[in-house]
Amino acid sequence: MTTKAKICGIKTSEALDAAIAGGADYVGLVFCATSPRHLEVAEARSLADRARGKAAIVVLTVDAEDGALDELSREIAPDFVQLHGSETPERAAEIKRRLGLPVIKAIPVRTAEDAAAQSAYAGIADLILFDAKPPAGATRPGGHGQTFDWTVLQDVATGTPFMLSGGLSPENVAAAIRVTHPTVVDVSSGVESAPGVKDAELIRRFLQAVKTANQT
């Protein structure tokens, strides 16, 4: 299986161009007011237009209300909606029906028991995203640059394709692929020079590391 790559939290055309040039399969646009990667809709629309047809466009939301979701669907026309909050299976199914879009559901993980929570989304989520649990007191659910013990996923039976996130970088992504065999690897802070500031060279190195891992 060839593992695909997602560059999340893109805020500039330069970062987007680096992701596309490097062969990213997905690009993520973040809508979470407490995140340094948060975008206004107009900014995101411009980036989405630039990416369309070159990489799948993912809008990342956190417990968003219907009105906000409708606006993102209408203005951005994404390929996927990523639910990175505490959305229940029922809410995820409702959003999927409402928007008519494939759903990525994030599962915060520290233990195998945490990861097993993905089973509740079987038949609802099109992709499960296993991400590291945020640190205590965090104001956002992801993008903290923390990893988790990838081996806890080895005993998790999932019939749903899954993404791996949480502290990935150009240095460790090949090992992550070897251990977990994910459908997609997802990076944000691991290709930044500062919170919310993407580094084109780190993006290039990350995507090259994924390609190299796929060839071994």
Side-chain angles (χ1 to χ4, degrees), residues 2-213:
T2 298
T3 297
K4 296 182 177 181
K6 172 171 171 263
I7 306 296
C8 198
I10 286 176
K11 294 185 69 175
T12 67
S13 56
E14 291 78 11
L16 178 62
D17 290 347
I20 291 170
D25 302 283
Y26 303 78
V27 292
L29 307 176
V30 173
F31 298 89
C32 174
T34 57
S35 171
R37 303 162 190 95
H38 174 69
L39 289 168
E40 298 301 328
V41 172
E43 297 174 297
R45 184 192 306 118
S46 176
L47 291 169
D49 288 345
R50 194 179 184 96
R52 205 170 310 283
K54 301 170 185 174
I57 300 160
V58 180
V59 293
L60 184 158
T61 66
V62 180
D63 298 313
E65 297 182 354
D66 287 348
L69 291 166
D70 290 347
E71 181 183 24
L72 293 178
S73 178
R74 181 178 66 249
E75 298 294 333
I76 310 301
D79 299 296
F80 292 83
V81 58
Q82 181 172 322
L83 308 179
H84 217 102
S86 56
E87 299 90 357
T88 63
E90 293 76 20
R91 176 61 175 157
E94 180 185 358
I95 291 170
K96 185 173 182 174
R97 287 193 300 269
R98 184 180 187 90
L99 302 186
L101 290 172
V103 163
I104 301 168
K105 180 64 185 93
I107 305 293
V109 176
R110 186 172 296 123
T111 67
E113 184 179 4
D114 295 331
Q118 61 83 29
S119 63
Y121 296 86
I124 299 169
D126 298 271
L127 280 160
I128 291 293
L129 190 157
F130 293 115
D131 195 5
K133 272 194 173 180
T139 59
R140 62 182 190 274
H144 297 284
Q146 295 190 342
T147 59
F148 64 93
D149 180 2
W150 301 320
T151 64
V152 304
L153 299 182
Q154 292 176 344
D155 294 326
V156 177
T158 173
T160 305
F162 74 92
M163 307 175 82
L164 180 69
S165 188
L168 297 182
S169 69
E171 290 72 32
N172 68 10
V173 68
I177 290 171
R178 285 196 302 272
V179 172
T180 65
H181 306 290
T183 307
V184 186
V185 284
D186 181 10
V187 68
S188 186
S189 61
V191 290
E192 292 180 345
S193 57
V197 182
K198 291 290 185 287
D199 183 297
E201 175 61 15
L202 289 176
I203 290 173
R204 185 196 69 77
R205 286 174 50 204
F206 182 88
L207 294 170
Q208 183 57 48
V210 174
K211 288 179 184 177
T212 301

